Amino acid sequence: MKTIGFLTPYRHLPEFNKIVSERFKCLDLSDLIEKEQQHLFKECDYLFVAPNYIGYTITDKLLVGTNINKIITPSTGLNHIQVTKADIVHIKNDPVLTTIWSTAEHNLYLMLKLPRQTENIVEMNSKNLGILGYGRLGSMVKKLGRPLFNKVYTMDKDHNKPEFFKNVDFLSINIDLNEDNRRLIGRKFIKKFAKKLFIVNTSRGEVVDEKEILELLDKKQILGYATDVVQDEHTEGESVLKNSQLDNLTVTPHVGGTAIESQEKAYKRVIEKLEDGK
């Protein structure tokens, strides 16, 4: 029986816990400190890790002297894993994602919360939502936002939609991270908008220039910024947002996808893919 080392808590998920306990030897490393976890990697065939539960990056160096050949992650983002000596089993672009609403709902929560923590409380019904990145998550945000906002505008890879920049009051960032959009959202991009914005990011911290966002917030050139993701989340670097005391900034600890039902779906699906050899 293969051994999975869980860097991520899993016993709170009854269905998933039953499945993995029947099929694998489970080594719960989630309550251990980093050095203790890595000391026990030698007992594992696989590692199971979700990005919101780990404070470091899984690298090839950590796998030296182990039999680990697969890293299992119930996530779409993979920036917490940088390996060449093991396969990564993930759910990026997997059909199960169409059934997982937790991140889109967290996005909505941040949009509702942000104006109420500032001096700019507004009626959402009179405001327009702009969704940057109209993929799976963007379409979910649109479905949730349509009854709440006056109008919903979407923009995907084309960043030249005049009506988007003219009319949007709330900007929801839902783009994938790639080299073309790293630090895309900064002073230059924000200046394109006709109105001062509330901005919500449940994409990746690296698509935002955090230093410029912080400056714009401080000068009230952005009404508010709420994010569930920050730069350098899985490295020794430190996001400039974490220590800010600005009242128009909210940072949540990457909990967008952690609804119990969503975790059950994602965790079970990634184990299915492991067993199917996909």
Side-chain angles (χ1 to χ4, degrees), residues 130-133 155-159 164-165 168 170-193 197-217 221-222 224-227 229 231 240-241:
I131 299 171
L132 179 63
M155 186 167 67
D156 206 7
K157 295 180 180 180
D158 179 10
H159 294 166
F164 190 92
F165 293 106
V168 164
F170 281 74
L171 176 64
S172 178
I173 303 172
N174 303 112
I175 53 179
D176 289 333
L177 173 64
N178 56 52
E179 289 307 314
D180 292 332
N181 60 30
R182 191 175 291 272
R183 291 185 171 83
L184 170 68
I185 315 300
R187 187 180 296 105
K188 183 178 179 181
F189 188 83
I190 299 302
K191 280 185 176 180
K192 296 180 180 181
F193 290 87
L197 299 172
F198 291 102
I199 303 175
V200 169
N201 184 10
T202 54
S203 171
R204 291 289 176 266
E206 288 77 12
V207 304
V208 169
D209 188 318
E210 292 185 340
K211 290 183 179 179
E212 292 188 2
I213 288 292
L214 204 57
E215 291 172 4
L216 293 171
L217 285 170
Q221 294 174 356
I222 296 174
Y225 179 66
T227 184
V229 287
Q231 292 177 11
V240 296
L241 302 180

Side-chain angles (χ1 to χ4, degrees), residues 20-278:
V20 293
S21 298
E22 290 174 349
R23 303 176 187 179
F24 301 93
K25 180 180 177 182
C26 299
L27 191 60
D28 190 348
L29 311 178
S30 61
D31 289 331
L32 303 180
I33 64 173
E34 185 176 328
K35 288 183 179 180
E36 292 172 335
Q37 289 176 335
Q38 294 167 15
H39 176 71
L40 292 170
F41 284 2
K42 293 180 180 180
E43 299 183 25
C44 303
D45 299 290
Y46 314 130
L47 288 181
F48 189 107
V49 54
N52 47 310
Y53 287 108
I54 186 170
Y56 60 91
T57 304
I58 303 296
T59 64
D60 285 332
K61 183 179 179 180
L62 301 179
L63 306 184
V64 173
T66 76
N67 295 317
I68 295 170
N69 57 27
K70 292 185 187 295
I71 312 294
I72 310 162
T73 183
S75 63
T76 57
L78 304 176
N79 54 337
H80 57 300
I81 306 170
Q82 297 178 10
V83 298
T84 59
K85 297 181 179 179
D87 295 329
I88 304 174
V89 184
H90 56 81
I91 57 170
K92 186 175 178 64
N93 300 323
D94 192 274
V96 74
L97 294 169
T98 61
T99 72
I100 294 176
W101 285 86
S102 182
T103 302
E105 291 171 356
H106 188 69
N107 199 312
L108 181 63
Y109 156 74
L110 291 175
M111 287 190 286
L112 288 166
K113 177 182 186 297
L114 196 53
R116 284 161 175 76
Q117 74 181 56
T118 71
E119 298 176 355
N120 299 286
I121 300 176
V122 297
E123 287 187 347
M124 318 287 273
N125 185 255
S126 67
K127 303 302 178 183
N128 298 323
L129 170 63
I131 299 171
L132 179 63
Y134 194 50
R136 187 264 316 178
L137 183 55
S139 64
M140 286 180 161
V141 171
K142 181 178 180 179
K143 187 171 184 178
L144 293 176
R146 190 182 294 135
L148 183 65
F149 288 91
N150 175 44
K151 289 185 178 180
V152 179
Y153 296 86
T154 64
M155 186 167 67
D156 206 7
K157 295 180 180 180
D158 179 10
H159 294 166
N160 297 306
K161 287 189 173 182
E163 70 276 11
F164 190 92
F165 293 106
K166 179 181 177 180
N167 296 312
V168 164
D169 301 284
F170 281 74
L171 176 64
S172 178
I173 303 172
N174 303 112
I175 53 179
D176 289 333
L177 173 64
N178 56 52
E179 289 307 314
D180 292 332
N181 60 30
R182 191 175 291 272
R183 291 185 171 83
L184 170 68
I185 315 300
R187 187 180 296 105
K188 183 178 179 181
F189 188 83
I190 299 302
K191 280 185 176 180
K192 296 180 180 181
F193 290 87
K195 304 178 186 181
K196 290 186 178 181
L197 299 172
F198 291 102
I199 303 175
V200 169
N201 184 10
T202 54
S203 171
R204 291 289 176 266
E206 288 77 12
V207 304
V208 169
D209 188 318
E210 292 185 340
K211 290 183 179 179
E212 292 188 2
I213 288 292
L214 204 57
E215 291 172 4
L216 293 171
L217 285 170
D218 190 40
K219 295 177 181 178
K220 307 297 183 182
Q221 294 174 356
I222 296 174
L223 295 178
Y225 179 66
T227 184
D228 191 44
V229 287
V230 295
Q231 292 177 11
D232 301 318
E233 189 172 358
H234 308 291
T235 70
E236 294 180 357
E238 183 74 11
S239 167
V240 296
L241 302 180
K242 286 188 175 181
N243 296 318
S244 172
Q245 300 299 315
L246 292 175
D247 61 7
N248 53 356
L249 170 67
T250 286
V251 180
T252 54
H254 206 152
V255 293
T258 57
I260 296 298
E261 297 87 350
S262 296
Q263 288 186 67
E264 285 278 18
K265 294 170 189 175
Y267 285 36
K268 287 190 291 186
R269 176 58 184 148
V270 81
I271 289 297
E272 284 180 9
K273 295 184 74 169
L274 171 69
E275 293 183 313
D276 290 344
K278 295 180 180 179

